[in-house]
Amino acid sequence: MLNYMKSEWYRIVHGKELYLITGILSAVVLAANVILYAMTFVEDAFPYASVRFSLSNLLYMMTMLFALGGVLVAILYADDRKNGTMKNAIVHGCSRTSLFIGKSLISVAAGLICMAAVLVVYIGSAALLLEGPAAEPAVELLMAVVAALPSVVAIVVLAVALDGFFSKTTTAIVAFVVIVFAIPQVLALIGLRYEPIAELASWFPAVLFGNDVGVWPLDFTMPWEQLLGWAKCMVVGFGWLAVFAVAGLWRARRVEL
């Protein structure tokens, strides 16, 4: 497995996929801050050219990290079957279980590097271009990212598992969207009428970090701001990580049979 991971990491580092998605995301957040800064020349009293407003945008779009986790896996391993990487690894004695674990670890590592680079550009450009103190909004954003990180890792592992389960990447993407977003949202809608279903839905990452986040500035509340809420974020993240990891390992072992 270590040899497989080394070869995959070499492929990713010397490929363009990781740099491409990191560059695109960095350009997007930089452009957003530049636009806010440019608006101050159009309107002197433009109220949104502040660090707090810029960084708070991600707080209300934390589920975007889940979608990007799936996109990252799809980009990194879209050509895995086409270029024969998986087949060659199996021929050389690497089990499908080892492939699943190796892919998961590599994907998480690549995702963390991408996230760190984009956050540096996001926070740094906001601090340089926009008004107001940067320390407090930056800490709030980083706390939110840490709270969501176990769930993001869990969803990356799910994406790897689905990529190994389905023979086509497009099918895996559809299944990913259904599991991560569609099912939780359906439960949340049913929960508007039935309270027990609403409680069940709140234990899904897409609902906890999406529907359960207040709307600024009317209801500036975050699930992770209180101790119990922080604990729930950890339980949800690590709980689904265990579920997806077990399911992925079970499927890998069944295929080997």
Side-chain angles (χ1 to χ4, degrees):
M1 184 177 73
L2 289 178
N3 289 335
Y4 168 74
M5 291 177 62
K6 289 179 181 178
S7 65
E8 280 299 280
W9 188 249
Y10 181 88
R11 177 182 67 83
I12 291 171
V13 169
H14 289 81
K16 61 182 181 180
E17 295 87 358
L18 180 60
Y19 302 103
L20 182 62
I21 188 172
T22 303
I24 291 174
L25 293 175
S26 298
V28 168
V29 297
L30 177 60
N33 287 331
V34 169
I35 290 173
L36 291 176
Y37 174 70
M39 288 301 296
T40 61
F41 295 95
V42 178
E43 181 181 346
D44 292 336
F46 186 67
Y48 302 114
S50 66
V51 177
R52 178 169 292 279
F53 174 79
S54 174
L55 299 188
S56 69
N57 287 328
L58 182 56
L59 294 179
Y60 301 104
M61 296 188 295
M62 295 300 292
T63 55
M64 184 175 62
L65 296 178
F66 305 153
L68 291 174
V71 170
L72 178 67
V73 172
I75 290 176
L76 292 180
Y77 294 104
D79 297 328
D80 205 28
R81 294 180 179 84
K82 185 187 300 184
N83 59 27
T85 302
M86 180 182 298
K87 184 182 295 184
N88 290 336
I90 293 174
V91 168
H92 287 85
C94 189
S95 68
R96 292 184 181 270
T97 299
S98 297
L99 287 179
F100 170 69
I101 297 173
K103 279 186 177 182
S104 297
L105 293 175
I106 290 295
S107 298
V108 169
L112 290 175
I113 292 172
C114 177
M115 181 187 297
V118 174
L119 285 175
V120 168
V121 175
Y122 186 24
I123 297 173
S125 61
L128 289 173
L129 296 174
L130 304 178
E131 299 176 354
E136 185 178 349
V139 169
E140 290 176 356
L141 175 60
L142 293 176
M143 286 183 62
V145 170
V146 172
L149 195 57
S151 293
V152 175
V153 172
I155 287 170
V156 168
V157 171
L158 170 65
V160 173
L162 293 174
D163 180 71
F165 185 85
F166 294 101
S167 58
K168 295 183 177 180
T169 301
T170 52
T171 308
I173 291 173
V174 171
F176 177 86
V177 171
V178 169
I179 294 172
V180 176
F181 297 106
I183 292 176
Q185 291 303 323
V186 169
L187 291 175
L189 288 174
I190 298 174
L192 295 176
R193 185 175 181 87
Y194 302 102
E195 183 61 31
I197 303 299
E199 178 62 25
L200 174 63
S202 71
W203 290 90
F204 285 80
V207 175
L208 178 62
F209 292 96
N211 301 36
D212 290 354
V213 173
V215 179
W216 186 87
L218 300 178
D219 185 19
F220 195 71
T221 58
M222 301 293 177
W224 53 85
E225 289 183 333
Q226 304 297 326
L227 182 59
L228 289 178
W230 180 272
K232 185 173 184 178
C233 291
M234 295 296 105
V235 171
V236 168
F238 286 110
W240 283 109
L241 174 59
V243 170
F244 296 147
V246 169
L249 289 171
W250 175 81
R251 173 60 184 173
R253 289 168 180 168
R254 286 294 297 266
V255 171
E256 287 179 324
L257 295 176

